[in-house]
Amino acid sequence: MSKQTFYVTTPIYYGTARPHLGSLYSTLLADVVNRWQKLLGSDTYFLTGTDEHGQKIAQAAQEVGKTPQEFVDSFIAAYKEVWNLYHIDYSQFIRTTDPYHIKGVQELITKLMERGDIYKSSYEGWYCTPCETYVTQTNARHELDRRKGEKAPSCPSCGRGTVAISEESYFFKLSAYADKLLAFYKEHPDFILPSERANEVISFVESGLKDLSISRTTISWGVPFPADSEHVVYVWVDALCNYITAIGYGDPDKKSMFEKWWPAQLHVLGKDIVRFHAVYWPALLMAADLALPKQLLVHGWIQIDKQKMSKSRGNVVDPVELAKLYEPEPVRYYLVRKMPVNSDGDFSTGDLEQTITSDLANDLGNLLNRMVSLAERNRLEQVPAVSEWSEAAITLQKESQATLDAYREHMEKYEFHLALARLWKFINQTNAYFHEQEPWKLAKADPKLFAQVISATCHSLRMIGVLLLPIMPEKMSALLQSIGVALGEQDTVTSLQFTTWNQPFTLKKIPTLFQKLEEQKEQKMDEEKKTETVSEKTYATIDDVVKVELRVGTIMQAEDVPESEKLLKFQVDFGELGTRQILAGLRKFYEPDQFIGKQGVFVFNLKPRKMLGMESQGMMLVAKDSDDKPIMVTVPSTVPNGTRLK
Ligand code: MSP
């Protein structure tokens, strides 16, 4: 059976600056879609690139004393570097200065001229250079009358000032396509996602379309207009064509490539450029007798503290800096999870840090780590297939199936944040299952049930890992490797059915997947403290000493704390003073059994404190040897439990 083809694109970015968080966001969404489609088994093509012509670029180049070509060339490496850093798996990077693109644009214009959809006239009005757009009297904020010398209106889209232009121009008969566009929107209610954006477009078209000026004579940095060297093609028409020229439009040798991929399944774009994609682009395609793209996914803006990111505000977030601090894939997760596609999202490093710690380090990373550590400690690296499941495991299996269905539905509608929210619910259900089963108790008491709990957790993690591959490809490959799942055809979403809970797993410990950010900070602070020199020694008074109640106790029970690699949990007998639960960070150096029956010294009146939800009612005294190994402080001969040290 031939695979379904899926062609997805990003907007092409103005080659005037390095990529910022907003550019990363558009590209990331397209990458997630592309990777998801691959997982579903589609044959995919993913296009991104740069928009390099136009007045804005010509001006910016002039300001720094470069030719436009030199100027744009200086940014291309930065785009590719950031996309690689963030594991953006694009198939092609188009530049509108590429010769094949220029040829393709000219081919389209020639076709429209032949069909009588282009005529020559003159344009008088206002132009917004940052947006590269004509601001007509009807959409300008202020009515204007240039001849009376009134002030230029600000651009309705970006609010910046416009400039007056008056020049000969070729026009595309956009007005002739209004009815056809409206009929198209009606027939394809899902063309523009989310639907709120569709309503804006429909009312814009209903209010009447003017013909579109598609050439400029006062600038020369652009695609030469076919058969009229005085003109260059309007930069937006040039840019939109990238979606077809990249896959061979205008090149007879690439006909089959074009036929394979066009129409695109999805154009991803920000809300600021909807009109170009939902009105001008479909009309141009209709005029050229080409199929229309299947869908537009329109996302909101990433704001910083509710404000637009801009150079003048100095709040532009650099994705390279973010990756250095937090690693690229946790940032990918955060952007997709916390910036809903259908609205603007507020970015903050505090929220990013919290999300990484709670969702990634605590919920997901810990689950994997606890399970693999526990299995390894109990020599269960090879987890056999299970033929009969307990009630609790069956409930978890059912949940995993329901999660898979819901996740697929959300992903189909590009509701990434909802897909992830649903998946996290399941991660926490798996955590709860693991915790409730208390496998650390089962390891010796019921090895068969122990293996079952480990297996159910592995099956859950397998699904979680595969579903998250489009969001965090490398981290999830590592997770899957840790449970011995090799990536291949069989790991596509369709294979993750309920009935596939029959796999053996091979476990292998891997370095911590996600570091808690507080831990990173604590480590740094500890290091800083070590280098501090104590300038003045402070003496303890006798009052200070008597305040600390040190007592002898015997460890009656010792066990692992499943959530922790470091802690051991003791029940300590203090004679007439009763038995207390005391936690100590000794697990890395000792087996629990090594402590049973030992008499040690404990701080008895330490304020009880909670660790991982369990109370520790005292503290064991230890001395560290030359290897930093803690050695329990004992008394030379046995004394009654509860004896106070003086
Ligand atoms: N060159 C045009 C697109 C031509 S497509 C045929 C352009 N380029 S851009 O570099 O200004 O913007 C590219 C994309 O980045 C747009 O989708 C825009 O919405 C997105 N973003 C730029 N800043 C953004 C945020 N702060 N937040 C989210 N995305 C935003 O427009």
Side-chain angles (χ1 to χ4, degrees), residues 70-302:
E70 282 167 354
F71 182 70
V72 287
D73 283 352
S74 68
F75 291 110
I76 302 312
Y79 275 95
K80 292 190 175 168
E81 174 206 326
V82 175
W83 296 166
N84 289 340
L85 179 64
Y86 276 89
H87 310 149
I88 304 291
D89 186 22
Y90 59 84
S91 320
Q92 185 178 340
F93 190 103
I94 188 171
R95 301 181 55 176
T96 53
T97 48
D98 288 335
Y100 68 84
H101 169 75
I102 295 174
K103 198 167 160 279
V105 174
Q106 290 173 330
E107 185 81 21
L108 184 95
I109 300 281
T110 309
K111 179 136 195 210
L112 300 191
M113 292 187 93
E114 282 165 7
R115 295 178 60 110
D117 269 327
I118 289 181
Y119 63 92
K120 200 174 183 180
S121 179
S122 66
Y123 179 83
E124 270 206 29
W126 304 103
Y127 193 75
C128 174
T129 310
C131 295
E132 296 280 19
T133 187
Y134 298 95
V135 179
T136 58
Q137 295 208 10
T138 42
N139 67 8
R141 240 182 232 165
H142 312 286
E143 279 298 308
L144 72 134
D145 184 345
R146 282 191 310 121
R147 269 143 297 169
K148 284 191 199 147
E150 271 186 26
K151 207 163 114 253
S154 46
C155 167
S157 167
C158 72
R160 282 175 280 200
T162 57
V163 288
I165 57 172
S166 165
E167 59 192 67
E168 184 187 74
S169 177
Y170 284 93
F171 281 80
F172 166 60
K173 285 188 187 162
L174 181 65
S175 57
Y177 288 89
D179 290 344
K180 284 187 198 144
L181 285 169
L182 289 170
F184 177 79
Y185 304 141
K186 206 165 179 191
E187 266 170 48
H188 301 87
D190 292 334
F191 176 57
I192 305 168
L193 293 175
S195 53
E196 304 90 278
R197 304 274 174 226
N199 301 335
E200 293 162 23
V201 170
I202 293 170
S203 37
F204 172 72
V205 177
E206 277 173 348
S207 71
L209 292 178
K210 288 207 158 84
D211 289 347
L212 181 69
S213 164
I214 55 158
S215 77
R216 304 285 313 269
T217 51
T218 47
I219 61 163
S220 56
W221 182 238
V223 175
F225 211 80
D228 194 339
S229 55
E230 297 291 301
H231 292 246
V232 294
V233 176
Y234 169 43
V235 64
W236 263 103
V237 172
D238 167 359
L240 287 164
C241 285
N242 91 91
Y243 301 133
I244 52 175
T245 60
I247 48 165
Y249 180 81
D251 183 348
D253 294 341
K254 294 212 172 135
K255 210 164 171 265
S256 63
M257 181 182 186
F258 184 70
E259 275 162 12
K260 174 171 179 186
W261 298 111
W262 193 255
Q265 236 69 27
L266 191 71
H267 291 320
V268 175
L269 50 129
K271 64 177 187 180
D272 50 323
I273 53 176
V274 182
R275 190 173 296 170
F276 299 97
H277 286 81
V279 182
Y280 304 162
W281 181 227
L284 288 165
L285 289 168
M286 283 174 176
D289 220 4
L290 291 171
L292 269 50
K294 297 280 178 220
Q295 271 184 325
L296 309 180
L297 176 63
V298 183
H299 64 74
W301 279 67
I302 297 182

Side-chain angles (χ1 to χ4, degrees), residues 10-16 20-27 50-52 56 79 130-131 235-236 238-243 268-273 276-277 299-304 307-310 344-345:
T10 73
I12 48 173
Y13 302 95
Y14 286 127
T16 44
H20 53 69
L21 197 63
S23 356
L24 173 64
Y25 184 62
S26 276
T27 311
T50 40
D51 188 353
E52 305 188 358
K56 173 180 168 135
Y79 275 95
C131 295
V235 64
W236 263 103
D238 167 359
L240 287 164
C241 285
N242 91 91
Y243 301 133
V268 175
L269 50 129
K271 64 177 187 180
D272 50 323
I273 53 176
F276 299 97
H277 286 81
H299 64 74
W301 279 67
I302 297 182
Q303 309 192 109
I304 314 291
Q307 287 202 317
K308 209 171 153 181
M309 235 184 330
S310 77
D344 291 342

Side-chain angles (χ1 to χ4, degrees), residues 18 45 90 338 346 380 399 411 451 490 551 567 623 634:
R18 289 177 56 81
Y45 203 74
Y90 59 84
K338 289 297 191 78
D346 207 27
L380 189 71
E399 268 309 320
M411 290 298 278
Q490 77 280 15
R551 287 187 186 272
L567 291 176
T634 54

